[in-house]
């Protein structure tokens, strides 16, 4: 579990760096509440972006993107609403998913889906 | 957003409809959604495809893929859509170009390893593709022979998904597979050895069989056990002439759909189907909950449906034959769909005269009470018997007949075939322009109108009708049989002799 946590943290750092490189601004990282956690909260232009990062060492257990299913997506929407309520923010928002393959031998591969489910 | 398209075929009975398989990539996490009324085995295709694509050296797009089968309203069955779905998915991941596949029909089931596996119904599917103006069809290599039976369309056999994708220019490593072969081929080998000459005595029944074969009449044989009913019935199919090319294609299509094995050549010999007497109505005409499969009556199309121990069949099973006997078709209805199969068969029934079997047999005594005996044959309902022109008793062989048989043989199958062919030709010439081929198909009013015989010849018939011994329908049936007898004798029209014989050949019940 510890190793997985470590991989996750590594992936999230990589994701933040990747998105900042594309002109996103970081608002918060690993925001937690009673019902769960949002990996990255960023904004791009005038839009809020809630980012879910999935990191795996290889495709052997399937595409990391596949792990974000409809149920997970619904939870992300609930969490986004909760975050905005807590911070008294009303804004356009979307959910992005980043799938990262972090293999020891090769460069990390990042797949970015913008505005999932739209 | 990119939409890719290719073609496949949805079969409904022997009828095929071209189905467009569309793929659309959406901005969602990876998943395959299949829409357009797929059944369970078709819905499972996504698992086969994911694995097959992976094992072909390619990759599915990392987004949600929506696959739509249009027209979305007609139900689609089976595994034959795998290849079309896999190929169209590969366009969305930019492996092959959309133009390459848009006008081609893709048929075949995928194994997890990416090999193409044969599917039933290739022959009607390819035929449907041709009729809808499709120029090219890709089929599993095991179905190549069957698909090639249809002329006028380019058939491209392939052994694996890898091979198909490379054919469309995909940059993939060449993977060698052991191609999947047919596990079972439906052989059309002619039956050898059963000759009409082997039948001893029973000249009435032999003549009845020849008349039935020549005119397309239905035949009922009644006789004690061991009197040669089954023997004659089994030799009956051999008497029939070869099927016409269209009939052969239809018979082969039915074999293909039934999935009894691969079809590698057209079936030119008329089929013989002999269901067991425990057959249900569904077994008889067809049915089933998922795919509607053809029953015995359908499989006997253009051939013979032989019901041995006919009285032992359930009444509903027997009466389910009335519709196909009347219309030559079977229509099976389900909530979502209805399927029509051809069912133009010749019916041959064989039965004992009573439960103990000995009634009317020389030298043995029937132990059945009269009422039981009467009820026994009454199991064949009136409407069914009404459609049987020839009803003949068979008898156990006597020593005299046995001795005679040793000295002079009866008519051989080859000789009988010759006579039957000649008689059929004569009938076809006479019926040219009417749309009928055989005497059994002629409508009654035509017999009594255009082909009316002289009063003198029909005198016995008219008297029988007058006295109420035969019905109007019986009257027509006797006329039909007498025409066949005239054709067999080489006469231009039946005379008193032929009519008398026709009455004799239907009086067993």
């Amino acid at each position: 579990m510890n190793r997985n946590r470590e991989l996750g943290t590594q992936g999230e750092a990589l994701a933040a760096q990747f998105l900042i490189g594309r002109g996103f601004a970081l608002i918060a990282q690993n925001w937690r509440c009673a019902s769960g956690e949002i990996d990255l909260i960023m904004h791009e232009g005038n839009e809020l972006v809630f980012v879910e990062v999935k990191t795996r060492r290889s495709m052997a257990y399937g595409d990391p993107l596949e792990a974000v299913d409809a149920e997970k997506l619904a939870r992300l929407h609930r969490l986004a609403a909760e975050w905005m309520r807590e911070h008294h923010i009303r804004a356009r928002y979307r959910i992005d998913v980043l799938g990262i393959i972090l293999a020891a031998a090769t460069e990390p591969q990042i797949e970015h889906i913008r505005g999932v489910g739209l | 957003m990119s939409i890719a398209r290719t073609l496949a075929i949805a079969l409904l009975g022997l009828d095929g409809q071209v189905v467009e398989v569309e793929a659309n990539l959406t901005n969602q996490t990876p998943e395959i959604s299949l829409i357009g009324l797929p059944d369970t085995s078709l819905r499972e295709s996504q698992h086969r495809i994911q694995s097959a694509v992976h094992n072909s050296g390619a990759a599915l797009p990392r987004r949600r893929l929506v696959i739509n089968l249009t027209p979305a309203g007609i139900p689609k069955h089976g595994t034959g859509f795998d290849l079309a779905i896999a190929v169209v998915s590969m366009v969305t991941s930019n492996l092959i170009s959309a133009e390459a596949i848009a006008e081609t029909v893709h048929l075949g089931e995928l194994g997890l390893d990416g090999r193409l596996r044969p599917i039933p119904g290739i022959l009607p599917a390819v035929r449907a593709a041709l009729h809808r103006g499709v120029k090219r069809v890709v089929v599993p290599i095991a179905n190549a022979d069957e698909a090639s039976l249809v002329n006028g369309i380019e058939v491209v056999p392939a052994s694996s998904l890898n091979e198909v994708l490379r054919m469309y220019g995909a940059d993939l490593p060449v993977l060698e597979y052991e191609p999947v072969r047919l596990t079972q081929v439906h052989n059309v080998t002619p039956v050898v050895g059963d000759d009409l000459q082997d039948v001893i005595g029973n000249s009435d029944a032999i003549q009845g069989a020849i008349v039935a074969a020549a005119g397309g009449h239905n035949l009922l044989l009644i006789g004690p056990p061991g009197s040669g009913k089954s023997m004659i019935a089994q030799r009956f199919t051999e008497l029939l002439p070869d099927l016409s090319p269209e009939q052969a294609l239809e018979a082969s299509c039915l074999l293909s759909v039934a999935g009894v094995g691969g079809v590698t050549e057209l079936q030119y010999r008329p089929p013989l189907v002999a269901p067991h007497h425990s057959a249900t109505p569904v077994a008889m005409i067809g049915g089933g909950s998922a795919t509607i499969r053809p029953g015995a009556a359908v499989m006997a199309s253009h051939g013979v449906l032989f019901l041995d121990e006919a009285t032992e069949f359930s009444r509903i099973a027997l009466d389910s034959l009335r519709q196909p006997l009347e219309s030559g078709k079977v229509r099976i209805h389900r909530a979502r769909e209805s399927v029509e199969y051809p069912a133009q068969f010749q019916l041959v029934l064989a039965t004992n005269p009573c439960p103990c079997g000995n009634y009317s047999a020389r030298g043995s005594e029937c132990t059945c009470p009269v009422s039981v005996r009467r009820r026994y044959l009454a199991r064949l309902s009136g409407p069914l018997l009404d459609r049987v022109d020839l009803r003949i008793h068979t008898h156990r062989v006597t020593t005299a007949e046995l001795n005679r048989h040793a000295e002079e043989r009866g008519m051989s199958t080859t000789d009988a075939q010759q006579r039957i062919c000649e008689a059929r030709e004569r009938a076809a010439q006479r019926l040219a322009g009417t749309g009928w081929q055989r005497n059994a198909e002629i409508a009654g009013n035509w017999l009594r109108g255009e082909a009316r015989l002289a009063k003198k010849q029909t005198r016995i018939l008219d008297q029988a009708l007058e006295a109420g011994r035969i019905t109007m329908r019986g009257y027509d049936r006797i006329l039909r049989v007498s025409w066949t007898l005239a054709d067999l004798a080489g006469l231009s029209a039946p005379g008193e002799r032929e009519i008398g014989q026709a009455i004799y050949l239907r009086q067993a019940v």
Side-chain angles (χ1 to χ4, degrees):
Chain A
M1 202 61 219
N2 221 351
R3 264 168 58 97
N4 283 346
R5 186 60 242 159
E6 210 173 283
L7 182 72
T9 320
Q10 218 177 330
E12 279 160 28
L14 211 61
Q17 203 185 332
F18 173 85
L19 291 174
I20 289 167
R22 303 198 158 203
F24 287 54
L26 186 63
I27 298 172
Q29 200 161 356
N30 298 110
W31 177 81
R32 280 198 187 88
C33 73
S35 43
E37 180 186 1
I38 300 178
D39 292 337
L40 298 170
I41 300 165
M42 311 188 82
H43 72 90
E44 185 193 27
N46 55 1
E47 199 171 36
L48 264 176
V49 186
F50 297 89
V51 184
E52 172 69 18
V53 184
K54 273 285 159 195
T55 315
R56 285 192 178 161
R57 288 200 196 280
S58 72
M59 289 278 244
Y61 292 100
D63 195 322
L65 290 172
E66 270 173 29
V68 186
D69 53 14
E71 198 188 328
K72 179 92 181 166
L73 213 57
R75 192 159 71 229
L76 284 169
H77 279 286
R78 276 202 308 278
L79 285 166
E82 202 155 316
W83 185 86
M84 290 192 286
R85 195 163 50 241
E86 201 182 297
H87 294 82
H88 308 290
I89 291 172
R90 278 186 180 193
R92 273 167 57 87
Y93 79 96
R94 65 165 205 256
I95 288 169
D96 282 15
V97 177
L98 261 75
I100 302 180
I101 305 284
L102 255 184
T106 55
E107 284 283 292
Q109 294 168 32
I110 302 177
E111 180 80 15
H112 178 195
I113 308 183
R114 303 166 64 95
V116 176
L118 296 180
Chain B
M1 298 248 168
S2 54
I3 293 185
R5 281 194 185 85
T6 190
L7 306 175
I9 301 285
L11 278 183
L12 204 59
L14 290 189
D15 230 11
Q17 183 155 8
V18 174
V19 169
E20 245 183 59
V21 181
E22 301 177 314
N24 187 20
L25 213 50
T26 66
N27 207 10
Q28 288 178 45
T29 49
E31 192 191 351
I32 297 181
S33 307
L34 198 56
I35 55 177
L37 289 188
D39 72 347
T40 314
S41 54
L42 184 46
R43 205 175 284 284
E44 285 168 348
S45 70
Q46 51 182 296
H47 304 296
R48 288 191 296 273
I49 288 163
Q50 272 164 343
S51 177
V53 164
H54 182 73
N55 290 324
S56 301
L60 282 166
R62 297 177 69 188
R63 292 288 190 278
R64 177 164 181 245
L65 198 54
V66 180
I67 307 280
N68 183 31
L69 308 171
T70 52
I74 58 168
K76 293 148 201 93
H77 306 289
T79 55
F81 293 90
D82 287 7
L83 181 62
I85 297 173
V87 163
V88 83
S89 311
M90 290 299 95
V91 174
T92 59
S93 55
N94 295 320
L95 192 67
I96 57 179
S97 79
E99 295 77 44
I101 61 161
E103 302 294 318
T104 303
V105 164
H106 292 90
L107 302 170
E109 173 183 328
L110 284 172
L112 295 183
D113 53 3
R115 288 191 295 176
L116 273 172
R117 303 182 150 272
I119 55 166
I122 280 280
L123 189 55
V126 175
R127 192 175 61 150
L130 175 72
H131 289 329
R132 313 284 160 136
V134 175
K135 300 275 188 299
R136 220 159 96 101
V137 50
V138 180
V139 299
I141 196 153
N143 288 131
D145 287 343
E146 187 178 330
S148 307
L149 295 176
V150 181
N151 294 323
I153 188 165
E154 186 192 349
V155 174
V156 184
S159 61
S160 68
L161 178 61
N162 178 272
E163 189 184 324
V164 175
L165 294 175
R166 281 189 293 109
M167 178 179 82
Y168 290 128
D171 183 22
L172 290 178
V174 180
L175 299 177
E176 292 295 340
Y177 296 91
E178 176 71 26
V180 184
R181 297 280 169 203
L182 286 178
T183 48
Q184 199 187 348
V185 174
H186 186 88
N187 272 325
V188 217
T189 43
V191 187
V192 212
D194 284 352
D195 201 288
L196 202 59
Q197 256 178 349
D198 305 338
V199 183
I200 305 171
N202 277 318
S203 52
D204 286 356
I206 291 175
Q207 201 207 355
I210 292 173
V211 172
H217 308 282
N218 297 325
L219 174 67
L220 165 67
L221 297 169
I222 303 175
S227 62
K229 301 185 296 285
S230 309
M231 209 174 167
I232 292 166
Q234 271 153 16
R235 283 157 181 76
F236 178 69
T237 320
E238 288 307 303
L239 295 178
L240 298 173
D242 276 349
L243 301 183
S244 71
E246 300 96 272
Q247 290 172 330
L249 186 61
E250 195 165 84
S252 308
C253 280
L254 284 168
L255 283 176
S256 173
V257 166
V260 287
V263 179
T264 52
E265 51 188 299
L266 286 186
Q267 151 129 352
Y268 275 100
R269 288 303 304 156
L272 167 67
V273 180
H276 186 253
H277 57 70
S278 61
T280 60
V282 169
M284 212 58 142
I285 61 167
S289 52
T291 7
I292 299 180
R293 294 167 59 85
V298 177
M299 295 311 292
S301 257
H302 305 303
V304 177
L305 180 66
F306 173 41
L307 305 184
D308 204 358
E309 310 299 348
T311 43
E312 300 296 337
F313 280 79
S314 79
R315 185 150 193 160
I316 9 171
L318 284 177
D319 282 345
S320 67
L321 294 176
R322 276 157 58 178
Q323 183 207 16
L325 278 172
E326 201 57 30
S327 64
K329 287 179 188 121
V330 162
R331 186 161 264 287
I332 303 160
H333 291 274
R334 290 285 178 274
R336 272 188 183 170
E337 55 193 329
S338 90
V339 169
E340 191 177 83
Y341 280 116
Q344 272 183 303
F345 55 86
Q346 228 173 314
L347 185 64
V348 177
L349 303 165
T351 180
N352 289 337
C354 64
C356 83
N358 286 333
Y359 182 68
S360 84
R362 211 175 306 106
S364 25
E365 203 161 319
C366 173
T367 54
C368 309
V370 181
S371 61
V372 172
R373 199 169 65 220
R374 197 173 293 150
R375 239 179 290 139
Y376 190 68
L377 283 182
R379 291 188 199 172
L380 302 173
S381 72
L384 182 71
L385 271 188
D386 234 2
R387 294 178 172 89
V388 179
D389 296 348
L390 299 162
R391 304 158 189 180
I392 298 165
H393 273 299
T394 58
H395 303 284
R396 284 195 185 138
V397 179
T398 60
T399 29
E401 282 171 334
L402 195 59
N403 291 335
R404 186 137 37 95
H405 186 76
E407 281 158 26
E408 53 163 316
R409 288 295 181 101
M411 189 179 280
S412 73
T413 296
T414 332
D415 292 344
Q417 269 176 337
Q418 183 69 30
R419 280 189 65 198
I420 289 161
C421 276
E422 283 166 14
R424 281 210 177 188
E425 245 160 65
R426 233 167 263 134
Q429 269 172 22
R430 192 178 66 247
L431 296 173
T434 58
W436 296 308
Q437 292 282 317
R438 301 173 303 177
N439 292 329
E441 299 159 13
I442 304 174
N445 53 13
W446 194 81
L447 287 171
R448 284 173 270 116
E450 282 176 58
R452 194 188 176 83
L453 299 173
K455 270 258 158 52
K456 192 171 139 277
Q457 264 124 34
T458 56
R459 203 182 54 229
I460 14 172
L461 261 187
D462 295 333
Q463 281 167 358
L465 184 69
E466 190 73 18
R469 285 196 301 274
I470 54 172
T471 60
M472 198 63 229
R473 204 184 294 194
Y475 185 99
D476 290 343
R477 294 199 169 256
I478 290 168
L479 276 181
R480 282 187 198 110
V481 173
S482 66
W483 273 104
T484 305
L485 286 163
D487 286 334
L488 280 166
L491 302 171
S492 59
E496 244 176 316
R497 195 182 120 87
E498 280 70 37
I499 290 179
Q501 232 175 344
I503 295 175
Y504 175 69
L505 286 175
R506 64 172 268 130
Q507 67 181 9
V509 173

